[in-house]
Structures are given as C-alpha cells and as structure tokens.
Amino acid sequence: MANQQLSIPSELGTITISAGAVADLVARVAARCYGVVGLASKNPVGRMLGRERSAIGVSQDGAGVRIGLRVVVEYGLNLAEVAATLRSQVTYELERLTGLPVAAVDVHIENARRSA
C-alpha cells in the first residue's frame, strides 16, 4: 500500500490520491464512530509498536475503492450495528471528500473491550 495510487479519471485529466492518504481519512472517520474503541493491527508486532495503519487496507478495482478495516469495539454494544454504522460513515465520508466511488467496506471486528 505504500506506493499505491488511486485514480479518478475526468474530462480534463486524472486525479491521483495515495492509498496512504485514503487510509488516514478512514482512520479519522473510524475514530469518530460510536462504539469504536480503536483500530486493530493485523499482526502482534504492529500492535506493540502502535502502527495503526496496518489495520486499514486500501485497494481499487473496476467498481471503485475497497476498504478493509480492523477495529476494536466497545464491549456490550451490538456488533452488527457498530459495523453497519462504521461501513456507512466510511463510505459517505470517502465519497464526499475524495470523489472516489466506494465499492466495499469490509469491517473486521478483532476484539471487544471496555473503553477507559
């Protein structure tokens, strides 16, 4: 994902946005969603080092941008509702801020814990 570019073709040319910029937007939106305690890393080393970006995967196919998101949610909440809200908010904000069509937002709930 480090050097991946996402493109938006138009009549006057092509706009490219780095996957890292999209991942940063997704992280900010996810942090504001109700029930999300934090982002989860794919591997234990990333968790220990506090590298949150590995919790977000960004790719582009013919239908649009695909987002993979690993989160930790608040214990006791309805997981399906938190995931649906997160999916909806990420889709709305990405389309609004970048103009990129969002094909899918895959939410993976890694853990549930009580927030501090």
Side-chain angles (χ1 to χ4, degrees):
M1 181 178 78
N3 58 3
Q4 183 182 3
Q5 301 288 322
L6 307 174
S7 336
I8 307 169
S10 70
E11 299 169 358
L12 299 175
T14 303
I15 299 169
T16 57
I17 302 171
S18 75
V22 172
D24 287 343
L25 287 172
V26 170
R28 289 173 190 258
V29 171
R32 290 192 322 236
C33 282
Y34 176 76
V36 175
V37 175
L39 297 177
S41 181
K42 288 182 185 179
N43 57 37
V45 175
R47 275 185 228 131
M48 287 189 312
L49 296 175
R51 293 188 180 153
E52 295 179 347
R53 188 174 282 181
S54 66
I56 302 169
V58 179
S59 63
Q60 186 175 26
D61 61 13
V65 178
R66 300 184 64 84
I67 305 294
L69 184 58
R70 298 177 182 281
V71 295
V72 178
V73 298
E74 176 75 27
Y75 177 80
L77 295 180
N78 185 319
L79 301 180
E81 287 182 19
V82 172
T85 300
L86 188 54
R87 204 173 14 254
S88 171
Q89 287 294 310
V90 167
T91 300
Y92 173 76
E93 289 294 332
L94 263 184
E95 288 179 348
R96 183 180 73 85
L97 294 170
T98 66
L100 292 166
V102 177
V105 177
D106 299 321
V107 177
H108 304 275
I109 298 174
E110 293 288 322
N111 201 353
R113 70 172 182 232
R114 296 190 190 278
S115 62

